[in-house]
Amino acid sequence: MRKLIIFLIVLAVLLVAVDRVAVAGVQRDLANRIAAATDLSGTPTVTIEGIPFLTQAISGHYPEVRFNLGTLTYGGVPVRNLQGAAYDVTAPLTDVLQNKPNIRAGRVAVRGTLTRETIDKYAPQGVKITGNGQHLVASGEVTVGVQKVRFTAEMRVEVADGGIKLRAEKIEGVPDALAQFVGYTIPFKGKLPFDVKITGVRNVADGLEFSAEATDVPLRG
């Protein structure tokens, strides 16, 4: 009986060790694939969620793979703390070991932050953007007739084709009708990783945090 207990303990330890070695190998492979998909010069941090890992590896299905890409620049727009998750990843173990390309994610969701410096950089000339984490405020000058008039406006943030749009919603110092002329778009001229499309944006303490998604995403080797 004692020998059986010792054997089971040793077996359990070995299984845990094999599990951890295997998960490290697959995480490394997925990290390389994600780096290739996002043109990273380094390797992202990748974590496969769920225990035990071997059960997922044998089935070739990983419900959730989380990753952190750090700070990247797309279309001249720097994005800080770009991170997200790939869901319903289909990755047969033999394909991973042989570095075959047919590994896909059912859905990829990412989020990142545009800093206040970036938001201010794309503002119209003479307009300064500030904020407190709840609202963005634009201040500057607009031309009314032949005169330049100073204004202050609370900015509304929304998703627009190809980028994130800021538009004056409340304005002080000039007629309300001029609010429609106080606005601009932060463009993403290049594609975001995995061809994700921006689905939402909100004010945060560091600037603007956006979320984006894509479906049926290949993770090529």
Side-chain angles (χ1 to χ4, degrees), residues 169-202:
E169 191 172 38
K170 299 176 182 179
I171 192 165
E172 298 177 0
V174 297
D176 291 343
L178 292 178
Q180 61 180 312
F181 299 107
V182 181
Y184 64 99
T185 298
I186 302 175
F188 286 99
K189 297 178 182 178
K191 293 180 179 179
L192 285 165
F194 313 111
D195 289 339
V196 295
K197 304 300 181 185
I198 298 176
T199 56
V201 60
R202 66 187 184 98

Side-chain angles (χ1 to χ4, degrees), residues 92-209:
L93 189 56
T94 54
D95 291 353
V96 172
L97 295 176
Q98 297 175 27
N99 197 31
K100 291 184 178 180
N102 58 330
I103 292 178
R104 309 185 76 85
R107 180 172 67 93
V108 170
V110 302
R111 70 176 185 273
T113 301
L114 305 180
T115 65
R116 295 207 181 281
E117 291 79 10
T118 298
I119 299 167
D120 192 57
K121 171 185 175 182
Y122 285 90
Q125 186 175 3
V127 176
K128 181 71 176 176
I129 305 294
T130 58
N132 57 10
Q134 296 181 337
H135 302 286
L136 289 177
V137 176
S139 58
E141 293 181 340
V142 292
T143 301
V144 180
V146 295
Q147 293 185 332
K148 288 185 176 182
V149 181
R150 295 200 61 81
F151 76 93
T152 300
E154 186 175 307
M155 304 297 286
R156 176 181 178 182
V157 184
E158 57 190 15
V159 177
D161 291 339
I164 295 172
K165 187 171 184 179
L166 290 84
R167 182 169 52 189
E169 191 172 38
K170 299 176 182 179
I171 192 165
E172 298 177 0
V174 297
D176 291 343
L178 292 178
Q180 61 180 312
F181 299 107
V182 181
Y184 64 99
T185 298
I186 302 175
F188 286 99
K189 297 178 182 178
K191 293 180 179 179
L192 285 165
F194 313 111
D195 289 339
V196 295
K197 304 300 181 185
I198 298 176
T199 56
V201 60
R202 66 187 184 98
N203 286 299
V204 294
D206 295 334
L208 290 176
E209 182 183 83

